[in-house]
């Protein structure tokens, strides 16, 4: 076996040593230091030497971890530009009101979180007082991704600032009455305050990276100069477990996003206990971020530790801090000085001697109170360093105590995330600690009072003056006076109205062709944001590469291999396409940033994100919900859709359920168009509804999901008068007679409803039914099962309010006496969304179960949705009604080999 302590071969062994004697002298020097001064001294010298080499620009691997100390020494901290005593009073009021709000709400059983903001108060307050730019100055201001569980502290500050009332604080988590506050940052629920929903942990950091990236995109494309905007993402150390939290770190570093800062509140606790009980989360995160290319600033210890570090002449203290696991650090927070002397200092003789120089009060001050994240000067220095660093994003690792200032019953306790209130006595202790002028008489009846120094108090004036200097209140969401976008010329939408003749065209290609035409529009073309996750060629979009360019902040620093071809791979600094590589999550984060630019930057953008439909809602449905919560607008396009149109790829590519998931999202308008002209009508209506003139009572804060297929089919001409039906979800495409089929005058009749590619099977079944069974079938295009359902639900609600309203699906089918058979390339649950509102005899077919690899025909036969299976199902439905002989069903199954 290999000796693990032996020096292992490295890449340096493959390089010739031009001066072996010099190399031996360096190695001997290192050996001598280790022998005479000890291995710790040798390691210290090596680290300092590597840091010096890095600072000199020598090409050496970077150190991934530094000592467990502050990056910025106390002596190097800049002077705080403000009144620190005044800011401490403001923070004390906010701490108090955050805790009071949650405690007062606990009597209603609605919950709330106290401990998170208690640990992070100075991380926010320092930013609000000195760094976060508002939206009333030049540009767009900063974008703040607030940690969801810290929302009570943000509400408390808005209350002090006069933006919220006591009544609203008392309605925290009680929104039904119309004057409440949402539990977390929810723009849809409180759109004047919150910009970004963040409590679905992991989505905040991912979105923040792509928001910073999209800011650069807007600037480089000349849409709007937002180079002064800075993106701040406040995260928890436990949140960094989520894969989305770190999924895009390399992108941020690769593109040099120095307009981005992560502030990770390292209170060492998750919801149930320690984040890294037996390890050190700060060191792990430092290595992860440094390895990805980020600038790392650690703010771990407060000023009380300065004396300890000065006494540490041997480095024993720094070594001990590096080796103590996080769970033990948490334990020190709750134990007395004697325990800390024995367990922390007693492990090393040098530390035993150091501890003799410290009083018990000093030890408790350091281990119970003094953290870098709890001192405004430390936080100020870290933020200043982050803004001053150029060429890479910065992460600030700020160590705090969860439940800080809330008393011994809260601080560092494993259960503090679930603890929702303080007792009156605990509040009085907190009041004394914070030095707040709240009399005992204010706790009348055991109720905890809110505290406010007065609208004209020095604290409020100072707060408002600081915010005015920084560009107005924050956080804040602004709806700019943006004029509706002019509608593009009808020519683009009407391109397929005459049909494709003998040419077969897949609806994916039809959508791409439509977008190509729309991007040429002089008024709105530049506002389209095409987004694709490394599948542009699959969707026939490669022709857009040379004309629009693929966005890259570096432009194109190489000669593409296909430069001599017409559709060569072109990257450009002002490129319009966002080709994100193999990341649906990153592409969705791009989409959200573009879809909400109308509010974030006052610039309306029209994103369309095209993807394998199987890898959209199934993989990133949480982000689609985030999109709706953030009031985003745009077009999501599930390409290669359906369970049977991409069957060579097999189960994992066979989407039979995305419309079901999409139907759960109130902001999603889901369409499954069958024909190219339907796509034109839907996109035209989508542009009007989202970006044009709104109709009375119409919600414009929606987004569209379109499924498009990769199966080339002849595209028919658009029938007259079908536009309303296309948009509302259902229209009759033809009858047996208008299709030129010969059927007896008294023939049994059935209505075939199909969506997407399934309408082609219905049309084939229509012909078979007429020619072989003497049955007349009318074919309907169901462009949106979910919109039909949404309309029917609204009609039901109106009925409960005393308003007579007929669902559109009933209006469309009015007068039809024959039964209805619905079919789609999705599970039956998709067409069954409308079943309860169809007055006729209703049944459905669908592709339920797992997908499989085979030909399209074989897959459709397997799922029982091909034309022959539709014929058999139609005959069975008619047989149950006594309109055809029961034997016809058996005969059909035998004839078709079903």
């Amino acid at each position: 076996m290999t000796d693990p302590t032996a020096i292992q071969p490295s890449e340096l062994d493959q390089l010739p040593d031009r001066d072996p004697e010099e190399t031996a002298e360096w190695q001997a020097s290192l050996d001598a230091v280790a022998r005479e001064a000890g291995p710790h001294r040798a390691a210290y010298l090596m680290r300092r030497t590597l840091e010096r080499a890095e600072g000199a620009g020598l090409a050496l691997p970077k150190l991934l971890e530094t000592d467990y100390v502050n990056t910025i020494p106390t002596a190097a901290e800049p002077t705080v530009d403000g009144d620190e005593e005044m800011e401490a009073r403001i923070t004390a009021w906010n701490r108090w009101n955050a805790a009071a709000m949650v405690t007062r709400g606990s009597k209603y059983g609605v919950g709330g979180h106290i401990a998170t903001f208690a640990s992070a108060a100075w991380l926010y307050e320092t930013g609000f007082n000195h760094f976060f730019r508002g939206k009333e100055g030049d540009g767009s201001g900063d974008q703040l991704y607030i940690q969801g569980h810290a929302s009570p502290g943000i509400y408390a500050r808005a209350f002090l600032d006069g933006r919220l009332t006591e009544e609203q604080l008392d309605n925290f988590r009680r929104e039904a009455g119309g004057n409440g506050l949402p539990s977390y940052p929810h723009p849809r629920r409180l759109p004047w305050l919150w910009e970004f929903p963040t409590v679905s942990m992991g989505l905040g950091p991912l979105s923040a990276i792509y928001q910073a990236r999209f800011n650069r995109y807007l600037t480089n494309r000349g849409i709007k100069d937002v180079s002064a905007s800075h993106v701040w993402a406040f995260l928890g150390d436990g949140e960094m477990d989520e894969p989305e939290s770190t999924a895009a770190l390399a992108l941020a570093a690769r593109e040099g996003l120095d307009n981005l800062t992560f502030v990770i509140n390292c209170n060492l606790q998750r919801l149930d206990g320690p984040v890294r009980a037996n390890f050190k989360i700060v060191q792990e995160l430092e290595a992860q971020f440094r390895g990805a290319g980020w600038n790392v600033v650690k703010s771990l210890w407060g000023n009380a530790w300065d004396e300890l570090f000065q006494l540490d002449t041997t480095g024993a203290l720094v070594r001990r801090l590096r080796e103590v696991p996080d769970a033990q650090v948490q334990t020190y927070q709750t134990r007395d000085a004697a325990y800390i002397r024995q367990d922390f200092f007693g492990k090393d003789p040098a530390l035993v001697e150091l501890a003799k120089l410290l009083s018990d009060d000093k030890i408790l001050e350091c281990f119970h109170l003094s953290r870098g994240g709890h001192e405004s000067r430390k936080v100020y220095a870290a933020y200043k360093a982050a803004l001053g660093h150029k060429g890479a994003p910065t992460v600030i690792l700020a160590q705090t105590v969860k439940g800080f200032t809330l008393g011994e019953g809260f601080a560092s306790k494993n259960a503090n995330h679930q603890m929702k209130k303080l007792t009156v006595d605990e509040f009085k202790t907190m009041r004394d600690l914070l030095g707040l002028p709240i009399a005992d008489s204010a706790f009348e009846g055991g109720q905890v009072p809110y505290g406010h120094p007065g609208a004209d108090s020095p604290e409020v004036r100072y707060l408002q003056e600081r915010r005015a200097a920084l560009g107005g209140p924050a956080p804040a969401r602004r709806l700019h006076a943006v004029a509706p976008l002019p509608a593009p010329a009808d020519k683009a939408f009407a391109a397929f109205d005459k049909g494709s003749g003998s040419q077969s065209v897949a609806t994916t290609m039809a959508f791409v062709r439509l977008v190509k035409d729309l991007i040429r529009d002089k008024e709105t073309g530049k506002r389209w944001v095409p987004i694709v996750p490394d599948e542009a060629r699959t969707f026939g979009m490669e022709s857009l590469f040379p004309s629009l360019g693929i966005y890259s902040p570096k432009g194109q620093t190489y000669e593409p291999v296909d430069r001599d071809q017409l559709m060569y791979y072109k990257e450009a600094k002002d490129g319009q396409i966002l080709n994100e590589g193999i990341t649906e999550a990153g592409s969705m984060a791009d989409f959200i940033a573009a879809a909400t630019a109308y509010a974030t930057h006052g610039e309306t953008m029209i994103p369309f994100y095209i993807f394998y439909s199987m890898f959209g809602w199934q993989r990133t449905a949480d982000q689609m919900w985030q999109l709706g919560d953030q009031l985003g607008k745009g077009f999501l396009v599930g390409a290669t859709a359906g369970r049977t149109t991409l069957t060579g790829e097999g189960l994992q590519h066979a989407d039979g359920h995305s419309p079901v998931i999409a139907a759960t999202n109130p902001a999603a308008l889901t369409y499954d168009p069958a024909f190219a002209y339907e796509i034109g009508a839907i996109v035209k209506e989508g542009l009007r509804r989202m970006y044009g003139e709104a109709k009375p009572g119409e919600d414009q804060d929606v987004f569209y999901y379109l499924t498009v297929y990769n199966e080339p089919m002849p595209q028919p001409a658009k029938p007259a008068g079908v536009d309303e039906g296309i948009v509302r979800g259902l229209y009759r495409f033809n009858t047996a007679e208008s299709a030129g089929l010969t059927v007896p005058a008294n023939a049994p009749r059935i209505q075939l409803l199909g969506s997407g590619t399934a309408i082609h099977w219905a049309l084939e079944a229509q012909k078979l039914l007429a020619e072989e069974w003497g049955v007349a079938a009318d074919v309907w295009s169901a462009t949106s099962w979910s919109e039909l359902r949404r309309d029917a639900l609204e009609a039901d609600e109106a009925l409960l309010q005393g308003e007579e309203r007929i669902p559109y699906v009933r209006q469309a089918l009015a007068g039809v006496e024959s039964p209805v058979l619905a079919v789609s390339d999705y599970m039956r649950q998709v067409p069954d969304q409308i079943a309860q509102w169809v007055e006729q005899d209703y049944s459905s077919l669908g592709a339920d179960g797992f997908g499989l690899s085979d030909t399209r025909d074989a897959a459709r036969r397997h799922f029982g949705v091909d034309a022959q299976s539709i014929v058999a199902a139609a005959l069975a439905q008619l047989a149950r009604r006594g309109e055809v002989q029961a034997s016809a069903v058996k005969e059909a199954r035998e004839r078709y080999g079903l």
Side-chain angles (χ1 to χ4, degrees), residues 558-846:
Y558 60 91
E559 183 177 350
V561 66
D562 54 0
R563 182 63 181 85
D564 57 345
Q565 298 178 13
L566 181 63
M567 292 183 287
Y568 69 97
Y569 195 82
K570 177 187 175 183
E571 295 187 83
K573 191 173 182 179
D574 61 351
Q576 193 164 350
I577 301 170
L578 292 172
N579 191 316
E580 289 305 350
I582 305 173
T583 167
E584 287 84 3
S587 299
M588 266 307 301
D590 257 338
F591 186 90
I592 292 170
T596 55
Y598 72 95
T600 308
H601 296 298
E603 293 290 342
T604 300
M605 306 301 288
I606 312 172
F608 81 88
Y609 164 35
I610 187 167
F611 48 88
Y612 269 79
S613 63
M614 184 66 165
F615 305 140
W617 286 88
Q618 173 165 301
R619 181 167 288 182
T620 57
D622 196 12
Q623 288 178 284
M624 276 107 170
W625 197 270
Q626 177 191 4
L627 169 66
D629 198 359
Q630 203 168 317
L631 291 78
K633 308 176 184 184
F635 296 95
L636 295 174
V637 183
T640 59
R643 184 146 278 166
T644 69
T645 63
L646 193 69
T647 50
E649 297 284 357
L651 185 153
Q652 288 190 327
H653 287 67
D655 172 25
H657 51 276
S658 70
V660 177
I661 307 174
T664 66
N665 192 310
L669 277 61
T670 302
Y671 286 87
D672 186 24
F675 305 124
Y677 67 77
E678 293 178 349
I679 291 174
I682 293 165
V683 171
K684 180 179 181 181
E685 171 64 9
L687 290 173
R688 182 209 63 77
R689 176 164 179 174
M690 294 185 290
Y691 306 105
E693 294 286 351
K695 297 178 181 177
E698 186 175 56
D699 182 7
Q700 289 191 288
D701 297 322
V702 296
F703 61 91
Y704 280 66
Y705 174 53
L706 279 70
T707 52
V708 293
Y709 297 82
N710 68 324
E711 186 173 9
M713 300 294 288
Q715 296 296 326
K718 180 180 178 180
V722 299
D723 288 276
E724 181 185 13
I726 292 173
V727 171
R728 299 192 70 175
L730 182 66
Y731 68 95
R732 180 153 40 197
F733 175 71
N734 69 12
T735 64
E737 292 78 7
S738 67
L741 299 172
T742 301
V743 291
N746 61 343
R749 186 173 291 272
I750 193 167
Q751 309 299 312
L752 301 179
L753 276 59
S755 67
T757 194
I759 203 167
H760 299 287
W761 323 329
L763 288 168
E764 186 180 348
Q766 179 189 47
K767 185 177 180 182
L768 290 174
L769 284 166
E771 294 178 351
E772 300 185 14
W773 304 96
V775 172
D778 302 337
V779 176
W780 299 66
S781 180
T783 55
S784 180
W785 308 101
S786 62
E787 283 305 290
L788 291 173
R789 175 180 175 80
R790 194 192 307 264
D791 171 81
L793 288 171
E794 291 173 357
D796 285 356
E797 179 63 25
L799 189 62
L800 293 175
Q801 303 298 324
E803 176 189 345
E804 283 291 338
R805 213 179 118 191
I806 301 174
Y808 178 77
V809 64
R810 284 186 183 167
Q811 296 178 41
L813 293 170
V816 171
E817 297 181 357
S818 50
V820 173
L821 174 61
V823 61
S824 80
D825 203 15
Y826 297 94
M827 57 195 302
R828 288 176 61 183
Q829 188 175 342
V830 174
D832 283 352
Q833 291 179 82
I834 66 169
Q836 73 185 80
W837 293 281
V838 177
E839 296 177 311
Q840 293 80 2
D841 179 12
Y842 185 88
S843 64
S844 64
L845 297 174

Side-chain angles (χ1 to χ4, degrees), residues 28 131 176 217 418 426 450 635 685 786 802:
F131 295 96
Y217 172 89
Q418 281 72 37
E426 287 172 327
Y450 293 118
F635 296 95
E685 171 64 9
S786 62

Side-chain angles (χ1 to χ4, degrees), residues 26 58 90 174 189 208 219 261 319 322 351 426 440 532 566 604 636 639 883:
W26 277 79
L58 300 182
I90 291 171
R174 295 194 299 142
R189 289 298 182 210
T219 300
T261 297
R319 290 196 301 274
R322 195 164 59 237
L351 291 180
E426 287 172 327
D440 285 352
V532 60
L566 181 63
T604 300
L636 295 174
E883 297 183 31

